[in-house]
Amino acid sequence: MPRQNKLLTFLQYEFKSPKLLEQALTHRSADIINNERFEYLGDAILSFIIAEALFIRFPQVKEGKLSRLRASLVKGVTLAEIGRELRLSEVLILGPGELKSGGFRRESILADTVEAILGAVYLDGGIEQVKSLILRLYDERLASIDIDEAIKDPKTRLQELLQSRKQPLPLYSVNEVKTSAQDSPLFEASCQVGLLGKVVMAKGNSHRKAEQKSAERALTLLEEIL
């Protein structure tokens, strides 16, 4: 289709089977044959390729920090940004209801479609082709990672995020959870963030770990709405 030519230019990939691209762009609201299965495949491939890229780029960084870096790169907000860069709103195939409600702008639909396109490229051209595409799409993001910023603990990252938006700082409360005498101590922390409008809870085997886990959960929830 002519309107997909610009997308193919952005992707720098020519499909041997154009029907795969068309299906990757088709939302479930438009057809029973849609991009949901492609999305599943693309999600797994993206996670692996980004994990490998981070593993190679940061040989001294430990597993937990690499996992947090990967999560920030493959989360829905980042994928939606890529979807906008690819101008997917111009080529999405949506049902009448989604068109009327502005689905072509919805972050979740853009993010899912990016993953579906990756799945389609894999099916059409194999792992090396989709790897090359992913690394092109993420080139600037990978190059601009500030490792010192990325490895800050969750409480620090949450505080800095709220300060950057001129929001009140989070309020923490920790209580020991009763366990049997043979068990290690267990603590439950609450993290109250005004932007969320609710209290986030998490457990850990120390005050600090419980608070860090609650802050991490709060960050994850904030990333979905900001």
Side-chain angles (χ1 to χ4, degrees):
M1 295 175 65
R3 66 183 186 139
Q4 295 173 1
N5 289 339
K6 190 179 295 184
L7 173 60
L8 292 171
T9 300
F10 287 141
L11 296 177
Q12 297 178 39
Y13 181 76
E14 191 70 35
F15 277 84
K16 294 188 287 289
S17 176
K19 286 187 177 180
L20 289 173
L21 176 59
E22 186 170 353
Q23 185 172 343
L25 296 173
T26 302
H27 186 257
R28 65 177 179 270
S29 64
D31 201 317
I32 192 170
I33 300 175
N34 55 61
N35 63 11
E36 288 187 315
R37 283 172 57 84
F38 288 8
E39 173 199 336
Y40 159 80
L41 188 59
D43 174 62
I45 294 167
L46 175 64
S47 184
F48 168 69
I49 297 300
I50 292 299
E52 181 188 49
L54 293 171
F55 182 85
I56 294 170
R57 187 177 286 265
F58 302 112
Q60 305 304 320
V61 175
K62 294 182 179 179
E63 179 270 341
K65 294 169 183 176
L66 288 174
S67 294
R68 289 196 291 274
L69 283 172
R70 180 184 60 188
S72 71
L73 289 168
V74 304
K75 66 185 179 182
V77 173
T78 305
L79 287 168
E81 289 175 358
I82 292 173
R84 285 188 287 269
E85 291 166 7
L86 295 174
R87 300 184 185 177
L88 291 186
S89 62
E90 300 175 9
V91 292
L92 286 171
I93 302 170
L94 303 173
E98 284 293 348
L99 277 172
K100 190 173 181 179
S101 64
F104 54 90
R105 290 190 297 265
R106 190 165 298 137
E107 287 207 338
S108 60
I109 290 179
L110 291 172
D112 292 346
T113 305
V114 171
E115 291 178 334
I117 289 171
L118 298 179
V121 171
Y122 170 75
L123 292 171
D124 190 74
I127 190 64
E128 289 304 320
Q129 290 288 350
V130 74
K131 178 178 180 179
S132 176
L133 171 58
I134 290 170
L135 293 180
R136 281 200 305 274
L137 293 175
Y138 276 88
D139 181 50
E140 290 186 11
R141 288 174 172 85
L142 287 167
S144 64
I145 288 175
D146 183 337
I147 195 64
D148 293 327
E149 179 69 22
I151 64 178
K152 287 179 180 177
D153 66 80
K155 286 183 67 176
T156 300
R157 287 187 285 129
L158 178 58
Q159 177 176 316
E160 291 181 352
L161 173 62
L162 294 173
Q163 287 176 327
S164 71
R165 293 177 175 268
K166 296 181 172 56
Q167 294 293 316
L169 296 181
L171 299 175
Y172 296 95
S173 176
V174 182
N175 296 303
E176 186 170 357
V177 179
K178 289 185 178 180
T179 57
S180 64
Q182 293 80 17
D183 292 334
S184 301
L186 186 63
F187 300 89
E188 184 173 56
S190 66
C191 176
Q192 184 174 350
V193 178
L195 275 175
L196 291 175
K198 64 179 180 180
V199 175
V200 182
M201 310 291 292
K203 293 178 181 178
N205 55 15
S206 70
H207 276 75
R208 179 180 177 278
K209 288 184 178 179
E211 286 187 342
Q212 297 286 15
K213 286 183 178 180
S214 67
E216 187 72 61
R217 289 187 179 180
L219 277 167
T220 299
L221 292 171
L222 284 170
E223 286 171 351
E224 292 175 358
I225 64 173
L226 295 178

